[in-house]
mmCIF file of all heavy atoms in Angstrom:
data_model
loop_
_atom_site.group_PDB
_atom_site.id
_atom_site.type_symbol
_atom_site.label_atom_id
_atom_site.label_comp_id
_atom_site.label_asym_id
_atom_site.label_seq_id
_atom_site.Cartn_x
_atom_site.Cartn_y
_atom_site.Cartn_z
ATOM 1 N N GLY A 398 90.939 -108.590 74.335
ATOM 2 C CA GLY A 398 91.111 -108.836 72.925
ATOM 3 C C GLY A 398 90.241 -107.873 72.120
ATOM 4 O O GLY A 398 89.703 -106.939 72.638
ATOM 5 N N GLY A 399 90.157 -108.159 70.822
ATOM 6 C CA GLY A 399 89.336 -107.298 69.914
ATOM 7 C C GLY A 399 88.024 -107.873 69.638
ATOM 8 O O GLY A 399 87.133 -107.943 70.518
ATOM 9 N N ASP A 400 87.812 -108.349 68.405
ATOM 10 C CA ASP A 400 86.497 -108.896 68.035
ATOM 11 C C ASP A 400 86.036 -109.990 68.966
ATOM 12 O O ASP A 400 84.859 -110.071 69.315
ATOM 13 C CB ASP A 400 86.586 -109.476 66.606
ATOM 14 C CG ASP A 400 86.446 -108.347 65.531
ATOM 15 O OD1 ASP A 400 86.252 -107.167 65.886
ATOM 16 O OD2 ASP A 400 86.593 -108.702 64.322
ATOM 17 N N PHE A 401 86.966 -110.844 69.337
ATOM 18 C CA PHE A 401 86.610 -111.986 70.206
ATOM 19 C C PHE A 401 85.906 -111.509 71.473
ATOM 20 O O PHE A 401 84.978 -112.144 71.957
ATOM 21 C CB PHE A 401 87.844 -112.828 70.517
ATOM 22 C CG PHE A 401 87.550 -114.128 71.175
ATOM 23 C CD1 PHE A 401 86.708 -115.036 70.576
ATOM 24 C CD2 PHE A 401 88.107 -114.445 72.411
ATOM 25 C CE1 PHE A 401 86.405 -116.283 71.176
ATOM 26 C CE2 PHE A 401 87.828 -115.681 73.019
ATOM 27 C CZ PHE A 401 86.961 -116.574 72.408
ATOM 28 N N GLY A 424 90.496 -99.181 76.768
ATOM 29 C CA GLY A 424 90.660 -100.245 75.766
ATOM 30 C C GLY A 424 92.065 -100.796 75.659
ATOM 31 O O GLY A 424 92.536 -101.040 74.523
ATOM 32 N N CYS A 425 92.694 -101.011 76.767
ATOM 33 C CA CYS A 425 94.123 -101.423 76.759
ATOM 34 C C CYS A 425 94.185 -102.980 76.646
ATOM 35 O O CYS A 425 93.707 -103.663 77.550
ATOM 36 C CB CYS A 425 94.806 -100.955 78.006
ATOM 37 S SG CYS A 425 96.554 -101.251 78.034
ATOM 38 N N LEU A 426 94.787 -103.461 75.582
ATOM 39 C CA LEU A 426 95.066 -104.883 75.524
ATOM 40 C C LEU A 426 96.123 -105.275 76.546
ATOM 41 O O LEU A 426 96.997 -104.437 76.860
ATOM 42 C CB LEU A 426 95.565 -105.256 74.101
ATOM 43 C CG LEU A 426 94.623 -105.111 72.947
ATOM 44 C CD1 LEU A 426 95.337 -105.410 71.648
ATOM 45 C CD2 LEU A 426 93.436 -106.035 73.081
ATOM 46 N N GLY A 450 91.827 -112.715 72.784
ATOM 47 C CA GLY A 450 92.250 -112.801 71.411
ATOM 48 C C GLY A 450 93.652 -113.334 71.334
ATOM 49 O O GLY A 450 94.440 -113.249 72.313
ATOM 50 N N ASP A 451 93.997 -113.909 70.141
ATOM 51 C CA ASP A 451 95.390 -114.427 70.031
ATOM 52 C C ASP A 451 96.372 -113.291 70.033
ATOM 53 O O ASP A 451 97.501 -113.420 70.560
ATOM 54 C CB ASP A 451 95.541 -115.330 68.812
ATOM 55 C CG ASP A 451 95.087 -114.727 67.519
ATOM 56 O OD1 ASP A 451 94.254 -113.803 67.558
ATOM 57 O OD2 ASP A 451 95.530 -115.217 66.462
ATOM 58 N N GLY A 452 95.985 -112.154 69.512
ATOM 59 C CA GLY A 452 96.852 -110.966 69.613
ATOM 60 C C GLY A 452 97.077 -110.534 71.021
ATOM 61 O O GLY A 452 98.203 -110.359 71.515
ATOM 62 N N ALA A 453 95.968 -110.397 71.758
ATOM 63 C CA ALA A 453 96.034 -109.970 73.168
ATOM 64 C C ALA A 453 96.897 -110.913 73.993
ATOM 65 O O ALA A 453 97.592 -110.495 74.915
ATOM 66 C CB ALA A 453 94.631 -109.931 73.724
ATOM 67 N N PHE A 456 100.523 -110.080 75.027
ATOM 68 C CA PHE A 456 100.901 -109.092 76.030
ATOM 69 C C PHE A 456 101.153 -109.658 77.433
ATOM 70 O O PHE A 456 101.936 -109.082 78.184
ATOM 71 C CB PHE A 456 99.765 -108.031 76.206
ATOM 72 C CG PHE A 456 99.602 -107.100 75.037
ATOM 73 C CD1 PHE A 456 98.854 -107.495 73.914
ATOM 74 C CD2 PHE A 456 100.208 -105.860 75.008
ATOM 75 C CE1 PHE A 456 98.688 -106.665 72.872
ATOM 76 C CE2 PHE A 456 100.057 -105.000 73.925
ATOM 77 C CZ PHE A 456 99.293 -105.378 72.865
ATOM 78 N N ASN A 478 92.223 -116.560 65.693
ATOM 79 C CA ASN A 478 91.923 -116.380 64.244
ATOM 80 C C ASN A 478 93.178 -116.073 63.435
ATOM 81 O O ASN A 478 93.145 -115.797 62.260
ATOM 82 C CB ASN A 478 90.881 -115.288 64.080
ATOM 83 C CG ASN A 478 91.226 -113.983 64.789
ATOM 84 O OD1 ASN A 478 92.352 -113.863 65.312
ATOM 85 N ND2 ASN A 478 90.317 -113.044 64.796
ATOM 86 N N ILE A 480 95.012 -113.470 63.482
ATOM 87 C CA ILE A 480 95.089 -112.057 63.036
ATOM 88 C C ILE A 480 94.741 -111.112 64.172
ATOM 89 O O ILE A 480 94.129 -111.547 65.158
ATOM 90 C CB ILE A 480 94.138 -111.743 61.852
ATOM 91 C CG1 ILE A 480 92.662 -112.125 62.252
ATOM 92 C CG2 ILE A 480 94.544 -112.458 60.585
ATOM 93 C CD1 ILE A 480 91.631 -111.744 61.222
ATOM 94 N N TRP A 481 95.122 -109.850 64.025
ATOM 95 C CA TRP A 481 94.607 -108.781 64.860
ATOM 96 C C TRP A 481 93.265 -108.408 64.198
ATOM 97 O O TRP A 481 93.184 -107.415 63.424
ATOM 98 C CB TRP A 481 95.524 -107.561 64.872
ATOM 99 C CG TRP A 481 96.939 -107.801 65.398
ATOM 100 C CD1 TRP A 481 98.049 -108.053 64.667
ATOM 101 C CD2 TRP A 481 97.342 -107.741 66.786
ATOM 102 N NE1 TRP A 481 99.167 -108.156 65.500
ATOM 103 C CE2 TRP A 481 98.756 -108.000 66.818
ATOM 104 C CE3 TRP A 481 96.677 -107.500 68.020
ATOM 105 C CZ2 TRP A 481 99.490 -107.989 67.983
ATOM 106 C CZ3 TRP A 481 97.424 -107.537 69.156
ATOM 107 C CH2 TRP A 481 98.796 -107.752 69.160
ATOM 108 N N GLY A 482 92.248 -109.178 64.480
ATOM 109 C CA GLY A 482 91.007 -109.095 63.688
ATOM 110 C C GLY A 482 90.355 -107.765 63.706
ATOM 111 O O GLY A 482 89.946 -107.221 62.670
ATOM 112 N N LEU A 483 90.291 -107.129 64.872
ATOM 113 C CA LEU A 483 89.600 -105.841 64.988
ATOM 114 C C LEU A 483 90.323 -104.745 64.178
ATOM 115 O O LEU A 483 89.784 -103.702 63.944
ATOM 116 C CB LEU A 483 89.434 -105.445 66.469
ATOM 117 C CG LEU A 483 88.560 -104.260 66.780
ATOM 118 C CD1 LEU A 483 87.899 -104.453 68.135
ATOM 119 C CD2 LEU A 483 89.352 -102.972 66.796
ATOM 120 N N GLU A 484 91.594 -104.997 63.823
ATOM 121 C CA GLU A 484 92.341 -104.029 62.992
ATOM 122 C C GLU A 484 92.368 -104.444 61.525
ATOM 123 O O GLU A 484 92.253 -103.652 60.629
ATOM 124 C CB GLU A 484 93.760 -103.864 63.525
ATOM 125 C CG GLU A 484 93.812 -103.497 64.990
ATOM 126 C CD GLU A 484 93.157 -102.170 65.323
ATOM 127 O OE1 GLU A 484 92.789 -101.427 64.437
ATOM 128 O OE2 GLU A 484 92.979 -101.926 66.576
ATOM 129 N N LEU A 500 99.102 -112.559 62.309
ATOM 130 C CA LEU A 500 99.839 -113.332 63.322
ATOM 131 C C LEU A 500 100.042 -114.710 62.736
ATOM 132 O O LEU A 500 99.511 -115.053 61.687
ATOM 133 C CB LEU A 500 99.028 -113.410 64.631
ATOM 134 C CG LEU A 500 98.656 -112.040 65.239
ATOM 135 C CD1 LEU A 500 97.501 -112.187 66.232
ATOM 136 C CD2 LEU A 500 99.907 -111.440 65.898
HETATM 137 C C1 LIG B 615 97.836 -101.913 74.146
HETATM 138 C C2 LIG B 615 97.010 -101.868 72.893
HETATM 139 N N1 LIG B 615 97.635 -101.904 71.689
HETATM 140 C C3 LIG B 615 96.911 -101.896 70.555
HETATM 141 C C4 LIG B 615 95.527 -101.775 70.573
HETATM 142 C C5 LIG B 615 94.751 -101.695 69.297
HETATM 143 N N2 LIG B 615 93.916 -102.901 69.120
HETATM 144 C C6 LIG B 615 92.651 -102.978 69.505
HETATM 145 S S1 LIG B 615 91.912 -104.386 69.157
HETATM 146 C C7 LIG B 615 93.290 -105.006 68.446
HETATM 147 C C8 LIG B 615 93.278 -106.383 67.815
HETATM 148 C C9 LIG B 615 93.170 -107.426 68.829
HETATM 149 O O1 LIG B 615 93.404 -108.685 68.229
HETATM 150 P P1 LIG B 615 93.100 -110.017 68.988
HETATM 151 O O2 LIG B 615 93.448 -109.922 70.395
HETATM 152 O O3 LIG B 615 93.725 -111.139 68.228
HETATM 153 O O4 LIG B 615 91.507 -110.129 68.877
HETATM 154 P P2 LIG B 615 90.610 -110.301 67.524
HETATM 155 O O5 LIG B 615 90.173 -108.918 67.133
HETATM 156 O O6 LIG B 615 91.450 -110.945 66.476
HETATM 157 O O7 LIG B 615 89.455 -111.147 67.982
HETATM 158 C C10 LIG B 615 94.308 -104.060 68.492
HETATM 159 C C11 LIG B 615 95.697 -104.299 67.995
HETATM 160 C C12 LIG B 615 94.977 -101.666 71.869
HETATM 161 N N3 LIG B 615 93.642 -101.535 72.021
HETATM 162 N N4 LIG B 615 95.710 -101.755 72.972
#
Side-chain angles (χ1 to χ4, degrees):
D400 279 356
F401 190 56
C425 187
L426 293 174
D451 52 339
F456 289 85
N478 53 7
I480 55 174
W481 299 97
L483 189 149
E484 306 299 350
L500 300 164

